[in-house]
Amino acid sequence: MSLLVVGTTALDSIKTPYAENPRLLGGSASHAAIAASFFTKTHLVGAVGDDFPRKYINLYRKHGLCLEGLEQLSGQTFHWSGEYEVNMNNRRTLDTVLGVIESYSPTLNASNAKLPYVLLANIAPDVQGRVLDQMSRAKFIVADTMDLWLNIARDPLLKLLKRIDCLVLNDSEAAQLVEEDNVIAAIPRIHKLGPKYVIVKKGEHGSILSSPKGLFIAPAYPLKKVIDPTGAGDSFVGGLMGYLASSKGGLEKNLRASIVQGSVTASFCCEGFGLQKTTRIKKSDITKRVRELTRMVAW
Ligand code: AMP
């Protein structure tokens, strides 16, 4: 089945201790939708400015994304720049220029409004909410978020949590959301805010799914070298939702398998700047790593 992904479609300027790359294709929706496209038909909803390079639209097309929901507005494309420390985990935002997304309110066409799987990738929670207002047949809704919204848009975020099936967030965001540093203790408190399913990402240490059937612990694919982790979280949830939308059978079993596919998809993201590696792999590369990872955790 098809998947709708809404979020930011951005230009990212990324600096690591080893290299610097300006104006790469980035944004939560770009990473998530391209990751999802390996598994299912994916519809992208977002806004770019008139400076958005044609080659990036072509890259979206190469991945078969449906672009009917991608608006080109007059003004600048959302631009984010960030810098990583030597450990490649600590990141500092250097600058954020909202550009056209400052006043962006997505309008879905009739076919996008009927899609069964919905990924509200990281963007302001009121924008995520306005997308949900227009969805008429959603079967499974997942939302991602970030510390910024916990700081400046807590109320709209809390309202959104009552309307979604699954929240995906990282361990520090989980601690901040419910003021509890222990992830395992934080999870039941997050369920109380609304979502029946909670997925906590722990970077290179994998992720935890909490569902009515209990906990599932998923590893990350071990990498010798990380070039740039920007977008890994978005690729994780994109791969996860793409795989889930393509699966038949029980939700719990499919979610577990989807998390493993999402982890592996995210591993490729870390091996290149921005989307450079992810846009060069094939689905068979993901399948091969999933097999390797499965062997690594079997006993
Ligand atoms: P991640 O590394 O998974 O946290 O995602 C990084 C991506 O998030 C980059 O491609 C950025 O363009 C995008 N991003 C950065 N800041 C924001 C923001 N405030 N809202 C939405 N997306 C953002």
Side-chain angles (χ1 to χ4, degrees), residues 7-12 14 25-28 31 78-80 84 91 93 96 98 101 121-124 144 146 148-149 170 201 229-235:
T8 51
T9 40
L11 297 175
D12 285 352
I14 302 167
L25 175 60
S28 58
H31 281 281
F78 175 73
H79 179 242
W80 174 80
Y84 287 88
R91 171 168 90 189
T93 291
T96 303
L98 292 178
I101 69 157
N122 179 27
I123 195 165
D144 192 359
M146 74 186 289
L148 175 71
W149 312 122
N170 68 33
K201 297 171 287 180
T230 308
D234 309 309
S235 305

PDB file of all heavy atoms in Angstrom, residues 7-12 14 25-28 31 78-80 84 91 93 96 98 101 121-124 144 146 148-149 170 201 229-235, ligand 1:
ATOM      1  N   GLY A   7       7.025  16.594   5.586  1.00  0.00           N
ATOM      2  CA  GLY A   7       8.138  17.058   6.416  1.00  0.00           C
ATOM      3  C   GLY A   7       8.877  18.149   5.670  1.00  0.00           C
ATOM      4  O   GLY A   7       8.335  18.753   4.740  1.00  0.00           O
ATOM      5  N   THR A   8      10.140  18.369   6.060  1.00  0.00           N
ATOM      6  CA  THR A   8      10.901  19.418   5.381  1.00  0.00           C
ATOM      7  C   THR A   8      11.623  18.875   4.153  1.00  0.00           C
ATOM      8  O   THR A   8      12.092  17.729   4.138  1.00  0.00           O
ATOM      9  CB  THR A   8      11.935  20.065   6.335  1.00  0.00           C
ATOM     10  OG1 THR A   8      12.723  19.043   6.960  1.00  0.00           O
ATOM     11  CG2 THR A   8      11.258  20.870   7.422  1.00  0.00           C
ATOM     12  N   THR A   9      11.643  19.704   3.116  1.00  0.00           N
ATOM     13  CA  THR A   9      12.434  19.429   1.908  1.00  0.00           C
ATOM     14  C   THR A   9      13.443  20.574   1.868  1.00  0.00           C
ATOM     15  O   THR A   9      13.067  21.727   1.661  1.00  0.00           O
ATOM     16  CB  THR A   9      11.523  19.426   0.672  1.00  0.00           C
ATOM     17  OG1 THR A   9      10.564  20.489   0.811  1.00  0.00           O
ATOM     18  CG2 THR A   9      10.752  18.132   0.546  1.00  0.00           C
ATOM     19  N   ALA A  10      14.716  20.249   2.121  1.00  0.00           N
ATOM     20  CA  ALA A  10      15.660  21.296   2.495  1.00  0.00           C
ATOM     21  C   ALA A  10      16.938  21.279   1.686  1.00  0.00           C
ATOM     22  O   ALA A  10      17.246  20.316   0.973  1.00  0.00           O
ATOM     23  CB  ALA A  10      16.015  21.105   3.974  1.00  0.00           C
ATOM     24  N   LEU A  11      17.695  22.347   1.866  1.00  0.00           N
ATOM     25  CA  LEU A  11      19.100  22.368   1.454  1.00  0.00           C
ATOM     26  C   LEU A  11      19.899  22.368   2.746  1.00  0.00           C
ATOM     27  O   LEU A  11      19.627  23.181   3.634  1.00  0.00           O
ATOM     28  CB  LEU A  11      19.390  23.623   0.630  1.00  0.00           C
ATOM     29  CG  LEU A  11      18.606  23.711  -0.682  1.00  0.00           C
ATOM     30  CD1 LEU A  11      18.855  25.045  -1.387  1.00  0.00           C
ATOM     31  CD2 LEU A  11      18.988  22.561  -1.613  1.00  0.00           C
ATOM     32  N   ASP A  12      20.812  21.432   2.876  1.00  0.00           N
ATOM     33  CA  ASP A  12      21.613  21.282   4.099  1.00  0.00           C
ATOM     34  C   ASP A  12      23.079  21.602   3.816  1.00  0.00           C
ATOM     35  O   ASP A  12      23.639  21.096   2.838  1.00  0.00           O
ATOM     36  CB  ASP A  12      21.571  19.825   4.599  1.00  0.00           C
ATOM     37  CG  ASP A  12      20.255  19.459   5.274  1.00  0.00           C
ATOM     38  OD1 ASP A  12      19.415  20.344   5.502  1.00  0.00           O
ATOM     39  OD2 ASP A  12      20.088  18.255   5.582  1.00  0.00           O
ATOM     40  N   ILE A  14      26.575  20.926   5.595  1.00  0.00           N
ATOM     41  CA  ILE A  14      27.030  20.053   6.685  1.00  0.00           C
ATOM     42  C   ILE A  14      28.552  20.097   6.810  1.00  0.00           C
ATOM     43  O   ILE A  14      29.271  19.987   5.810  1.00  0.00           O
ATOM     44  CB  ILE A  14      26.561  18.601   6.416  1.00  0.00           C
ATOM     45  CG1 ILE A  14      25.033  18.576   6.285  1.00  0.00           C
ATOM     46  CG2 ILE A  14      27.010  17.666   7.537  1.00  0.00           C
ATOM     47  CD1 ILE A  14      24.494  17.281   5.711  1.00  0.00           C
ATOM     48  N   LEU A  25      21.025  18.071  -0.879  1.00  0.00           N
ATOM     49  CA  LEU A  25      19.614  17.744  -0.700  1.00  0.00           C
ATOM     50  C   LEU A  25      19.433  17.195   0.712  1.00  0.00           C
ATOM     51  O   LEU A  25      20.158  16.285   1.135  1.00  0.00           O
ATOM     52  CB  LEU A  25      19.176  16.687  -1.725  1.00  0.00           C
ATOM     53  CG  LEU A  25      17.738  16.174  -1.555  1.00  0.00           C
ATOM     54  CD1 LEU A  25      16.707  17.301  -1.679  1.00  0.00           C
ATOM     55  CD2 LEU A  25      17.424  15.083  -2.583  1.00  0.00           C
ATOM     56  N   GLY A  26      18.498  17.786   1.460  1.00  0.00           N
ATOM     57  CA  GLY A  26      18.247  17.323   2.821  1.00  0.00           C
ATOM     58  C   GLY A  26      16.800  17.562   3.208  1.00  0.00           C
ATOM     59  O   GLY A  26      15.938  17.768   2.351  1.00  0.00           O
ATOM     60  N   GLY A  27      16.566  17.552   4.511  1.00  0.00           N
ATOM     61  CA  GLY A  27      15.202  17.721   5.022  1.00  0.00           C
ATOM     62  C   GLY A  27      14.640  16.385   5.461  1.00  0.00           C
ATOM     63  O   GLY A  27      14.966  15.337   4.884  1.00  0.00           O
ATOM     64  N   SER A  28      13.818  16.453   6.507  1.00  0.00           N
ATOM     65  CA  SER A  28      13.277  15.213   7.065  1.00  0.00           C
ATOM     66  C   SER A  28      12.482  14.420   6.034  1.00  0.00           C
ATOM     67  O   SER A  28      12.580  13.189   5.965  1.00  0.00           O
ATOM     68  CB  SER A  28      12.406  15.532   8.286  1.00  0.00           C
ATOM     69  OG  SER A  28      11.365  16.414   7.922  1.00  0.00           O
ATOM     70  N   HIS A  31      14.839  12.698   3.255  1.00  0.00           N
ATOM     71  CA  HIS A  31      15.487  11.476   3.749  1.00  0.00           C
ATOM     72  C   HIS A  31      14.456  10.358   3.935  1.00  0.00           C
ATOM     73  O   HIS A  31      14.692   9.213   3.537  1.00  0.00           O
ATOM     74  CB  HIS A  31      16.190  11.745   5.089  1.00  0.00           C
ATOM     75  CG  HIS A  31      17.505  12.441   4.932  1.00  0.00           C
ATOM     76  ND1 HIS A  31      18.652  11.784   4.568  1.00  0.00           N
ATOM     77  CD2 HIS A  31      17.862  13.746   5.100  1.00  0.00           C
ATOM     78  CE1 HIS A  31      19.663  12.639   4.507  1.00  0.00           C
ATOM     79  NE2 HIS A  31      19.215  13.841   4.827  1.00  0.00           N
ATOM     80  N   PHE A  78      13.923  26.020   2.595  1.00  0.00           N
ATOM     81  CA  PHE A  78      14.384  25.817   3.975  1.00  0.00           C
ATOM     82  C   PHE A  78      15.858  25.402   3.932  1.00  0.00           C
ATOM     83  O   PHE A  78      16.231  24.508   3.176  1.00  0.00           O
ATOM     84  CB  PHE A  78      13.531  24.716   4.616  1.00  0.00           C
ATOM     85  CG  PHE A  78      13.964  24.312   6.000  1.00  0.00           C
ATOM     86  CD1 PHE A  78      13.741  25.133   7.087  1.00  0.00           C
ATOM     87  CD2 PHE A  78      14.580  23.087   6.230  1.00  0.00           C
ATOM     88  CE1 PHE A  78      14.135  24.752   8.373  1.00  0.00           C
ATOM     89  CE2 PHE A  78      14.970  22.690   7.503  1.00  0.00           C
ATOM     90  CZ  PHE A  78      14.746  23.544   8.572  1.00  0.00           C
ATOM     91  N   HIS A  79      16.674  26.103   4.730  1.00  0.00           N
ATOM     92  CA  HIS A  79      18.104  25.794   4.714  1.00  0.00           C
ATOM     93  C   HIS A  79      18.587  25.554   6.137  1.00  0.00           C
ATOM     94  O   HIS A  79      18.336  26.366   7.028  1.00  0.00           O
ATOM     95  CB  HIS A  79      18.898  26.948   4.075  1.00  0.00           C
ATOM     96  CG  HIS A  79      20.379  26.693   4.054  1.00  0.00           C
ATOM     97  ND1 HIS A  79      21.284  27.475   4.713  1.00  0.00           N
ATOM     98  CD2 HIS A  79      21.114  25.710   3.462  1.00  0.00           C
ATOM     99  CE1 HIS A  79      22.513  26.992   4.531  1.00  0.00           C
ATOM    100  NE2 HIS A  79      22.433  25.922   3.778  1.00  0.00           N
ATOM    101  N   TRP A  80      19.224  24.400   6.342  1.00  0.00           N
ATOM    102  CA  TRP A  80      19.754  24.067   7.668  1.00  0.00           C
ATOM    103  C   TRP A  80      21.254  23.859   7.557  1.00  0.00           C
ATOM    104  O   TRP A  80      21.721  23.231   6.610  1.00  0.00           O
ATOM    105  CB  TRP A  80      19.069  22.787   8.179  1.00  0.00           C
ATOM    106  CG  TRP A  80      19.645  22.275   9.467  1.00  0.00           C
ATOM    107  CD1 TRP A  80      19.384  22.746  10.718  1.00  0.00           C
ATOM    108  CD2 TRP A  80      20.603  21.222   9.625  1.00  0.00           C
ATOM    109  NE1 TRP A  80      20.113  22.044  11.637  1.00  0.00           N
ATOM    110  CE2 TRP A  80      20.873  21.106  11.002  1.00  0.00           C
ATOM    111  CE3 TRP A  80      21.255  20.362   8.737  1.00  0.00           C
ATOM    112  CZ2 TRP A  80      21.763  20.174  11.509  1.00  0.00           C
ATOM    113  CZ3 TRP A  80      22.149  19.421   9.240  1.00  0.00           C
ATOM    114  CH2 TRP A  80      22.387  19.332  10.618  1.00  0.00           C
ATOM    115  N   TYR A  84      29.368  18.804  13.119  1.00  0.00           N
ATOM    116  CA  TYR A  84      29.569  17.646  14.008  1.00  0.00           C
ATOM    117  C   TYR A  84      30.907  17.735  14.726  1.00  0.00           C
ATOM    118  O   TYR A  84      31.884  18.238  14.166  1.00  0.00           O
ATOM    119  CB  TYR A  84      29.532  16.340  13.199  1.00  0.00           C
ATOM    120  CG  TYR A  84      28.141  16.008  12.755  1.00  0.00           C
ATOM    121  CD1 TYR A  84      27.636  16.503  11.559  1.00  0.00           C
ATOM    122  CD2 TYR A  84      27.304  15.237  13.557  1.00  0.00           C
ATOM    123  CE1 TYR A  84      26.331  16.234  11.158  1.00  0.00           C
ATOM    124  CE2 TYR A  84      26.009  14.960  13.158  1.00  0.00           C
ATOM    125  CZ  TYR A  84      25.525  15.461  11.965  1.00  0.00           C
ATOM    126  OH  TYR A  84      24.245  15.193  11.586  1.00  0.00           O
ATOM    127  N   ARG A  91      26.078  17.203  17.690  1.00  0.00           N
ATOM    128  CA  ARG A  91      25.854  18.074  16.542  1.00  0.00           C
ATOM    129  C   ARG A  91      25.396  19.432  17.028  1.00  0.00           C
ATOM    130  O   ARG A  91      24.649  19.528  17.990  1.00  0.00           O
ATOM    131  CB  ARG A  91      24.774  17.424  15.678  1.00  0.00           C
ATOM    132  CG  ARG A  91      24.273  18.269  14.569  1.00  0.00           C
ATOM    133  CD  ARG A  91      23.440  17.445  13.625  1.00  0.00           C
ATOM    134  NE  ARG A  91      22.042  17.434  13.991  1.00  0.00           N
ATOM    135  CZ  ARG A  91      21.143  16.655  13.418  1.00  0.00           C
ATOM    136  NH1 ARG A  91      21.511  15.778  12.502  1.00  0.00           N
ATOM    137  NH2 ARG A  91      19.903  16.714  13.776  1.00  0.00           N
ATOM    138  N   THR A  93      23.574  22.996  15.643  1.00  0.00           N
ATOM    139  CA  THR A  93      22.946  23.700  14.525  1.00  0.00           C
ATOM    140  C   THR A  93      23.605  25.058  14.409  1.00  0.00           C
ATOM    141  O   THR A  93      23.685  25.805  15.387  1.00  0.00           O
ATOM    142  CB  THR A  93      21.428  23.843  14.762  1.00  0.00           C
ATOM    143  OG1 THR A  93      20.840  22.546  14.667  1.00  0.00           O
ATOM    144  CG2 THR A  93      20.760  24.735  13.718  1.00  0.00           C
ATOM    145  N   THR A  96      19.523  28.154  10.799  1.00  0.00           N
ATOM    146  CA  THR A  96      18.304  27.625  10.182  1.00  0.00           C
ATOM    147  C   THR A  96      17.594  28.788   9.506  1.00  0.00           C
ATOM    148  O   THR A  96      17.292  29.788  10.154  1.00  0.00           O
ATOM    149  CB  THR A  96      17.356  27.030  11.247  1.00  0.00           C
ATOM    150  OG1 THR A  96      18.052  26.025  11.976  1.00  0.00           O
ATOM    151  CG2 THR A  96      16.131  26.397  10.630  1.00  0.00           C
ATOM    152  N   LEU A  98      14.189  29.468   7.643  1.00  0.00           N
ATOM    153  CA  LEU A  98      12.920  28.783   7.357  1.00  0.00           C
ATOM    154  C   LEU A  98      12.485  28.973   5.907  1.00  0.00           C
ATOM    155  O   LEU A  98      11.935  28.065   5.292  1.00  0.00           O
ATOM    156  CB  LEU A  98      11.824  29.297   8.288  1.00  0.00           C
ATOM    157  CG  LEU A  98      11.988  28.925   9.760  1.00  0.00           C
ATOM    158  CD1 LEU A  98      10.884  29.529  10.589  1.00  0.00           C
ATOM    159  CD2 LEU A  98      12.012  27.406   9.922  1.00  0.00           C
ATOM    160  N   ILE A 101       8.988  27.656   4.238  1.00  0.00           N
ATOM    161  CA  ILE A 101       8.162  26.860   5.167  1.00  0.00           C
ATOM    162  C   ILE A 101       7.645  27.692   6.352  1.00  0.00           C
ATOM    163  O   ILE A 101       6.831  27.225   7.122  1.00  0.00           O
ATOM    164  CB  ILE A 101       8.806  25.526   5.642  1.00  0.00           C
ATOM    165  CG1 ILE A 101       9.982  25.754   6.562  1.00  0.00           C
ATOM    166  CG2 ILE A 101       9.106  24.584   4.509  1.00  0.00           C
ATOM    167  CD1 ILE A 101      10.232  24.512   7.440  1.00  0.00           C
ATOM    168  N   ALA A 121       6.877  13.253   9.206  1.00  0.00           N
ATOM    169  CA  ALA A 121       8.308  13.405   9.511  1.00  0.00           C
ATOM    170  C   ALA A 121       8.501  14.751  10.204  1.00  0.00           C
ATOM    171  O   ALA A 121       7.577  15.569  10.274  1.00  0.00           O
ATOM    172  CB  ALA A 121       9.118  13.297   8.221  1.00  0.00           C
ATOM    173  N   ASN A 122       9.703  14.959  10.714  1.00  0.00           N
ATOM    174  CA  ASN A 122       9.951  16.135  11.546  1.00  0.00           C
ATOM    175  C   ASN A 122       9.663  17.458  10.824  1.00  0.00           C
ATOM    176  O   ASN A 122      10.291  17.789   9.828  1.00  0.00           O
ATOM    177  CB  ASN A 122      11.417  16.086  11.992  1.00  0.00           C
ATOM    178  CG  ASN A 122      11.780  17.270  12.839  1.00  0.00           C
ATOM    179  OD1 ASN A 122      10.929  17.852  13.514  1.00  0.00           O
ATOM    180  ND2 ASN A 122      13.054  17.642  12.808  1.00  0.00           N
ATOM    181  N   ILE A 123       8.696  18.171  11.371  1.00  0.00           N
ATOM    182  CA  ILE A 123       8.319  19.533  10.939  1.00  0.00           C
ATOM    183  C   ILE A 123       7.463  20.055  12.086  1.00  0.00           C
ATOM    184  O   ILE A 123       7.137  19.287  13.001  1.00  0.00           O
ATOM    185  CB  ILE A 123       7.578  19.514   9.559  1.00  0.00           C
ATOM    186  CG1 ILE A 123       7.517  20.916   8.941  1.00  0.00           C
ATOM    187  CG2 ILE A 123       6.193  18.873   9.642  1.00  0.00           C
ATOM    188  CD1 ILE A 123       7.141  20.935   7.449  1.00  0.00           C
ATOM    189  N   ALA A 124       7.098  21.327  12.092  1.00  0.00           N
ATOM    190  CA  ALA A 124       6.330  21.878  13.214  1.00  0.00           C
ATOM    191  C   ALA A 124       5.066  21.041  13.475  1.00  0.00           C
ATOM    192  O   ALA A 124       4.360  20.673  12.530  1.00  0.00           O
ATOM    193  CB  ALA A 124       5.946  23.318  12.909  1.00  0.00           C
ATOM    194  N   ASP A 144       7.278  11.777  13.869  1.00  0.00           N
ATOM    195  CA  ASP A 144       8.638  11.989  14.378  1.00  0.00           C
ATOM    196  C   ASP A 144       8.655  13.427  14.906  1.00  0.00           C
ATOM    197  O   ASP A 144       7.811  14.240  14.531  1.00  0.00           O
ATOM    198  CB  ASP A 144       9.615  11.835  13.196  1.00  0.00           C
ATOM    199  CG  ASP A 144      11.065  11.733  13.629  1.00  0.00           C
ATOM    200  OD1 ASP A 144      11.342  11.806  14.841  1.00  0.00           O
ATOM    201  OD2 ASP A 144      11.931  11.595  12.745  1.00  0.00           O
ATOM    202  N   MET A 146      11.362  16.581  17.253  1.00  0.00           N
ATOM    203  CA  MET A 146      12.722  16.923  17.683  1.00  0.00           C
ATOM    204  C   MET A 146      12.670  17.824  18.912  1.00  0.00           C
ATOM    205  O   MET A 146      11.610  18.357  19.248  1.00  0.00           O
ATOM    206  CB  MET A 146      13.502  17.596  16.539  1.00  0.00           C
ATOM    207  CG  MET A 146      13.094  19.019  16.257  1.00  0.00           C
ATOM    208  SD  MET A 146      13.899  19.742  14.800  1.00  0.00           S
ATOM    209  CE  MET A 146      15.574  19.941  15.361  1.00  0.00           C
ATOM    210  N   LEU A 148      13.569  20.807  19.419  1.00  0.00           N
ATOM    211  CA  LEU A 148      13.086  22.174  19.171  1.00  0.00           C
ATOM    212  C   LEU A 148      11.596  22.310  19.468  1.00  0.00           C
ATOM    213  O   LEU A 148      11.150  23.251  20.122  1.00  0.00           O
ATOM    214  CB  LEU A 148      13.362  22.543  17.696  1.00  0.00           C
ATOM    215  CG  LEU A 148      12.822  23.884  17.218  1.00  0.00           C
ATOM    216  CD1 LEU A 148      13.613  25.031  17.845  1.00  0.00           C
ATOM    217  CD2 LEU A 148      12.907  23.987  15.696  1.00  0.00           C
ATOM    218  N   TRP A 149      10.798  21.339  19.011  1.00  0.00           N
ATOM    219  CA  TRP A 149       9.333  21.415  19.197  1.00  0.00           C
ATOM    220  C   TRP A 149       8.963  21.162  20.653  1.00  0.00           C
ATOM    221  O   TRP A 149       7.970  21.704  21.140  1.00  0.00           O
ATOM    222  CB  TRP A 149       8.591  20.452  18.253  1.00  0.00           C
ATOM    223  CG  TRP A 149       9.085  20.573  16.842  1.00  0.00           C
ATOM    224  CD1 TRP A 149       9.610  19.591  16.060  1.00  0.00           C
ATOM    225  CD2 TRP A 149       9.148  21.766  16.044  1.00  0.00           C
ATOM    226  NE1 TRP A 149      10.004  20.090  14.851  1.00  0.00           N
ATOM    227  CE2 TRP A 149       9.732  21.416  14.806  1.00  0.00           C
ATOM    228  CE3 TRP A 149       8.784  23.101  16.249  1.00  0.00           C
ATOM    229  CZ2 TRP A 149       9.951  22.343  13.782  1.00  0.00           C
ATOM    230  CZ3 TRP A 149       9.007  24.035  15.224  1.00  0.00           C
ATOM    231  CH2 TRP A 149       9.568  23.642  14.026  1.00  0.00           C
ATOM    232  N   ASN A 170      14.101  10.208  19.793  1.00  0.00           N
ATOM    233  CA  ASN A 170      15.352   9.634  20.312  1.00  0.00           C
ATOM    234  C   ASN A 170      15.358   9.663  21.842  1.00  0.00           C
ATOM    235  O   ASN A 170      14.468  10.242  22.462  1.00  0.00           O
ATOM    236  CB  ASN A 170      16.586  10.238  19.645  1.00  0.00           C
ATOM    237  CG  ASN A 170      16.788  11.681  19.994  1.00  0.00           C
ATOM    238  OD1 ASN A 170      16.457  12.100  21.094  1.00  0.00           O
ATOM    239  ND2 ASN A 170      17.314  12.447  19.069  1.00  0.00           N
ATOM    240  N   LYS A 201      14.730   5.798  19.605  1.00  0.00           N
ATOM    241  CA  LYS A 201      15.977   5.566  18.865  1.00  0.00           C
ATOM    242  C   LYS A 201      17.149   5.854  19.788  1.00  0.00           C
ATOM    243  O   LYS A 201      17.134   6.846  20.511  1.00  0.00           O
ATOM    244  CB  LYS A 201      16.067   6.518  17.663  1.00  0.00           C
ATOM    245  CG  LYS A 201      14.991   6.347  16.631  1.00  0.00           C
ATOM    246  CD  LYS A 201      15.029   7.465  15.603  1.00  0.00           C
ATOM    247  CE  LYS A 201      14.513   8.756  16.188  1.00  0.00           C
ATOM    248  NZ  LYS A 201      14.525   9.894  15.248  1.00  0.00           N
ATOM    249  N   PRO A 229      26.039  11.512   9.836  1.00  0.00           N
ATOM    250  CA  PRO A 229      24.796  10.883  10.293  1.00  0.00           C
ATOM    251  C   PRO A 229      23.535  11.728  10.045  1.00  0.00           C
ATOM    252  O   PRO A 229      22.444  11.302  10.420  1.00  0.00           O
ATOM    253  CB  PRO A 229      25.033  10.708  11.803  1.00  0.00           C
ATOM    254  CG  PRO A 229      26.021  11.755  12.173  1.00  0.00           C
ATOM    255  CD  PRO A 229      26.805  12.116  10.947  1.00  0.00           C
ATOM    256  N   THR A 230      23.674  12.885   9.382  1.00  0.00           N
ATOM    257  CA  THR A 230      22.491  13.726   9.153  1.00  0.00           C
ATOM    258  C   THR A 230      21.418  12.938   8.396  1.00  0.00           C
ATOM    259  O   THR A 230      21.696  12.374   7.344  1.00  0.00           O
ATOM    260  CB  THR A 230      22.873  14.984   8.318  1.00  0.00           C
ATOM    261  OG1 THR A 230      23.960  15.611   8.946  1.00  0.00           O
ATOM    262  CG2 THR A 230      21.687  15.927   8.184  1.00  0.00           C
ATOM    263  N   GLY A 231      20.231  12.932   8.947  1.00  0.00           N
ATOM    264  CA  GLY A 231      19.126  12.272   8.266  1.00  0.00           C
ATOM    265  C   GLY A 231      18.983  10.798   8.620  1.00  0.00           C
ATOM    266  O   GLY A 231      18.069  10.125   8.129  1.00  0.00           O
ATOM    267  N   ALA A 232      19.863  10.287   9.501  1.00  0.00           N
ATOM    268  CA  ALA A 232      19.775   8.857   9.839  1.00  0.00           C
ATOM    269  C   ALA A 232      18.430   8.546  10.502  1.00  0.00           C
ATOM    270  O   ALA A 232      17.791   7.531  10.198  1.00  0.00           O
ATOM    271  CB  ALA A 232      20.925   8.450  10.743  1.00  0.00           C
ATOM    272  N   GLY A 233      17.996   9.437  11.409  1.00  0.00           N
ATOM    273  CA  GLY A 233      16.716   9.224  12.092  1.00  0.00           C
ATOM    274  C   GLY A 233      15.559   9.236  11.102  1.00  0.00           C
ATOM    275  O   GLY A 233      14.623   8.433  11.198  1.00  0.00           O
ATOM    276  N   ASP A 234      15.621  10.142  10.138  1.00  0.00           N
ATOM    277  CA  ASP A 234      14.553  10.236   9.123  1.00  0.00           C
ATOM    278  C   ASP A 234      14.590   9.012   8.205  1.00  0.00           C
ATOM    279  O   ASP A 234      13.539   8.488   7.812  1.00  0.00           O
ATOM    280  CB  ASP A 234      14.734  11.506   8.284  1.00  0.00           C
ATOM    281  CG  ASP A 234      14.913  12.742   9.152  1.00  0.00           C
ATOM    282  OD1 ASP A 234      14.085  12.936  10.049  1.00  0.00           O
ATOM    283  OD2 ASP A 234      15.886  13.483   8.933  1.00  0.00           O
ATOM    284  N   SER A 235      15.795   8.559   7.869  1.00  0.00           N
ATOM    285  CA  SER A 235      15.911   7.365   7.009  1.00  0.00           C
ATOM    286  C   SER A 235      15.390   6.139   7.742  1.00  0.00           C
ATOM    287  O   SER A 235      14.759   5.260   7.145  1.00  0.00           O
ATOM    288  CB  SER A 235      17.363   7.102   6.626  1.00  0.00           C
ATOM    289  OG  SER A 235      17.907   8.227   6.038  1.00  0.00           O
TER     290      SER A 235
HETATM  291  P1  AMP B   1      18.193  13.953  11.618  1.00  0.00           P
HETATM  292  O1  AMP B   1      19.686  13.866  11.420  1.00  0.00           O
HETATM  293  O2  AMP B   1      17.482  12.655  11.408  1.00  0.00           O
HETATM  294  O3  AMP B   1      17.834  14.636  12.890  1.00  0.00           O
HETATM  295  O4  AMP B   1      17.626  14.891  10.466  1.00  0.00           O
HETATM  296  C1  AMP B   1      18.363  15.928   9.882  1.00  0.00           C
HETATM  297  C2  AMP B   1      17.482  16.639   8.860  1.00  0.00           C
HETATM  298  O5  AMP B   1      16.500  17.418   9.568  1.00  0.00           O
HETATM  299  C3  AMP B   1      18.271  17.616   7.989  1.00  0.00           C
HETATM  300  O6  AMP B   1      18.229  17.153   6.652  1.00  0.00           O
HETATM  301  C4  AMP B   1      17.573  18.949   8.164  1.00  0.00           C
HETATM  302  O7  AMP B   1      17.286  19.600   6.948  1.00  0.00           O
HETATM  303  C5  AMP B   1      16.289  18.638   8.896  1.00  0.00           C
HETATM  304  N1  AMP B   1      15.982  19.652   9.901  1.00  0.00           N
HETATM  305  C6  AMP B   1      16.836  20.390  10.629  1.00  0.00           C
HETATM  306  N2  AMP B   1      16.159  21.228  11.457  1.00  0.00           N
HETATM  307  C7  AMP B   1      14.842  20.998  11.239  1.00  0.00           C
HETATM  308  C8  AMP B   1      13.630  21.548  11.753  1.00  0.00           C
HETATM  309  N3  AMP B   1      13.630  22.534  12.659  1.00  0.00           N
HETATM  310  N4  AMP B   1      12.456  21.040  11.321  1.00  0.00           N
HETATM  311  C9  AMP B   1      12.446  20.043  10.413  1.00  0.00           C
HETATM  312  N5  AMP B   1      13.529  19.517   9.839  1.00  0.00           N
HETATM  313  C10 AMP B   1      14.720  19.979  10.250  1.00  0.00           C
END
